[in-house]
Amino acid sequence: MENGKLSSLLVCCTYLNLLKVIVRKWNQKEERFIKLPEEEEERFSDAVKRLEFDKQLGPYTLSQYGDWKRLSSYVTKDTIERIEPIGGEITIARESEMVGKFSKTAMEKALDDQLKNCKFSTPEEKSERRGCYYTAIPRVVKHKGMCGTELTNLNIDKTQLLESILMKEYGGDEDSLLAELQFAFIVFLMGQSLEAFLQWKLLVSLLFGCTEAPLRTRSQLFTKFIKVIYYQLKHGFQKDQKDFGAKSEGVSALLDESWLSSDSFLHHLCKDFFSFVLEAKVVDGDLLSWTRRLKELLEDSLGWQLGQNTEADGISFEDDEYAPVVEILDNTDCRNI
């Protein structure tokens, strides 16, 4: 086969019990990989199994293997099958319509503008595509019949919401939640997916919004969570990602000025989380150690000052939906509505 014919082909091989070969061709007009006719795909698949392409392949970049393991340590085959779209193709073709109703930071707006300008196929084909099946995470918790004080407490400490989501959506499996967090981050980092970033942001906000769970009921989960986000941010803050396979401009989105701002959602969440964990009288040793490491990473990489909250810090959030819900009550006090 001529060398030039492989330049626009993506051939993926997975060794499990049997060899699985996935063949896709790059469509320059639509800017995406498309499936080949069945006969042509079978021909390439047979050639792979006969090792005909081996001498044209480059060596795997082993120096990045450790990074990949840390970024995908909880992702399993079940994770992918649960979240991926029907047909297995993750595309940003419809993301502009899907996430347009949400308020966005400067970085998110830039990604949204890029989606609108992409060269995708016809509107009819776009309308048939659906995004990933991410777990629904409420931004603000609301319950009928709950008084203002209870509602405020429920949103300030999201432990109860976390427990509900863990049981209802993940069958109590903490690792499945962490797997979705990793899946969303990888799709955002590698594919510049705004939908994936918003899901990552929701999960991070949920976990950092808990105060009881880290210290009492879910210390092990939060130790694993801090470790996961530590390696995500450490990787995202690296300037040169060429060996990992991500475009440099895609990774630079992680270093957008909205991340550096002291008004960013991550800054507020981390500062509050670090404050109560590091000042707690009783805290799990591993959680304390990883919290300190994450705090040091953010301070060194972004120049943040993550000490105790001061009066000058205020309570400003870049997105209202991530701010605590505060209800002002009159003399009616708490009663069912």
Side-chain angles (χ1 to χ4, degrees):
M1 188 161 298
E2 297 178 10
N3 293 341
K5 289 190 177 180
L6 285 178
S7 60
S8 62
L9 286 173
L10 174 67
V11 183
C12 301
C13 310
T14 304
Y15 287 91
L16 298 172
N17 294 329
L18 296 173
L19 179 66
K20 181 178 181 181
V21 181
I22 300 173
V23 182
R24 297 290 185 270
K25 184 177 181 179
W26 178 252
N27 185 303
Q28 189 169 359
K29 181 179 179 181
E30 297 186 16
E31 296 184 354
R32 67 186 183 98
F33 284 103
I34 60 174
K35 294 190 67 173
L36 296 175
E38 186 175 345
E39 291 184 2
E40 191 173 356
E41 183 174 4
E42 185 176 351
R43 183 162 53 86
F44 277 108
S45 178
D46 290 341
V48 169
K49 295 175 182 178
R50 292 194 297 267
L51 308 179
E52 292 183 12
F53 301 144
D54 279 29
K55 60 183 178 182
Q56 300 181 45
L57 300 177
Y60 184 85
T61 310
L62 292 176
S63 61
Q64 300 298 322
Y65 179 60
D67 281 350
W68 178 251
K69 284 187 65 177
R70 286 186 284 267
L71 291 176
S72 60
S73 55
Y74 293 100
V75 178
T76 64
K77 181 181 178 182
D78 289 340
T79 304
I80 297 171
E81 291 178 346
R82 178 174 63 85
I83 301 177
E84 70 177 356
I86 295 174
E89 180 186 359
I90 299 176
T91 175
I92 59 174
R94 285 194 61 210
E95 288 199 6
S96 179
E97 298 98 323
M98 294 167 60
V99 300
K101 61 182 179 180
F102 301 136
S103 60
K104 295 182 280 292
T105 64
M107 178 187 68
E108 295 162 15
K109 289 176 182 176
L111 284 172
D112 193 19
D113 290 341
Q114 181 179 340
L115 292 176
K116 292 176 181 177
N117 295 326
C118 283
K119 301 175 182 177
F120 293 111
S121 52
T122 64
E124 290 76 16
E125 290 174 323
K126 287 172 61 177
S127 65
E128 294 175 359
R129 299 192 182 121
R130 190 200 185 283
C132 293
Y133 289 85
Y134 293 118
T135 301
I137 309 293
R139 288 169 176 74
V140 176
V141 185
K142 298 180 180 179
H143 287 302
K144 291 184 178 179
M146 185 172 287
C147 72
T149 301
E150 294 171 332
L151 185 61
T152 297
N153 291 336
L154 190 62
N155 281 273
I156 290 178
D157 179 7
K158 295 188 176 180
T159 295
Q160 185 177 333
L161 175 60
L162 173 64
E163 292 295 334
S164 174
I165 290 174
L166 277 172
M167 294 299 118
K168 182 179 178 181
E169 304 294 343
Y170 301 102
D173 184 6
E174 298 176 347
D175 289 356
S176 292
L177 184 150
L178 296 174
E180 184 164 340
L181 180 69
Q182 289 185 327
F183 182 99
F185 183 81
I186 291 170
V187 174
F188 160 60
L189 191 71
M190 303 288 288
Q192 297 179 275
S193 167
L194 181 55
E195 179 193 24
F197 173 74
L198 292 175
Q199 182 67 12
W200 178 84
K201 186 175 178 180
L202 284 170
L203 288 167
V204 168
S205 299
L206 169 66
L207 289 161
F208 271 140
C210 298
T211 55
E212 180 182 355
L215 302 180
R216 297 183 181 179
T217 58
R218 296 281 182 178
S219 293
Q220 186 177 4
L221 166 61
F222 277 84
T223 300
K224 293 186 288 188
F225 161 62
I226 295 298
K227 190 174 181 180
V228 165
I229 196 172
Y230 172 87
Y231 284 116
Q232 287 180 341
L233 295 178
K234 183 179 180 181
H235 183 82
F237 293 154
Q238 293 175 12
K239 293 182 180 180
D240 185 7
Q241 298 290 343
K242 293 180 180 179
D243 290 338
F244 188 72
K247 295 182 179 179
S248 59
E249 59 267 26
V251 176
S252 67
L254 205 56
L255 296 175
D256 182 87
E257 62 180 8
S258 62
W259 285 81
L260 306 177
S261 170
S262 60
D263 287 330
S264 71
F265 89 100
L266 190 62
H267 181 277
H268 283 282
L269 290 172
C270 286
K271 191 165 187 175
D272 291 342
F273 184 85
F274 295 159
S275 177
F276 79 79
V277 170
L278 298 178
E279 295 173 13
K281 293 182 179 179
V282 179
V283 60
D284 179 84
D286 289 335
L287 176 59
L288 180 62
S289 175
W290 277 102
T291 299
R292 286 171 174 166
R293 290 183 66 176
L294 178 59
K295 179 174 180 288
E296 182 179 351
L297 173 69
L298 292 171
E299 290 177 336
D300 291 346
S301 300
L302 301 180
W304 288 352
Q305 297 298 319
L306 295 168
Q308 293 184 358
N309 290 326
T310 64
E311 198 171 311
D313 289 332
I315 56 172
S316 172
F317 278 72
E318 70 172 9
D319 293 316
D320 287 343
E321 67 263 30
Y322 293 98
V325 173
V326 179
E327 294 280 348
I328 306 298
L329 298 178
D330 54 22
N331 293 331
T332 55
D333 206 346
C334 293
R335 64 187 181 186
N336 290 336
I337 298 175

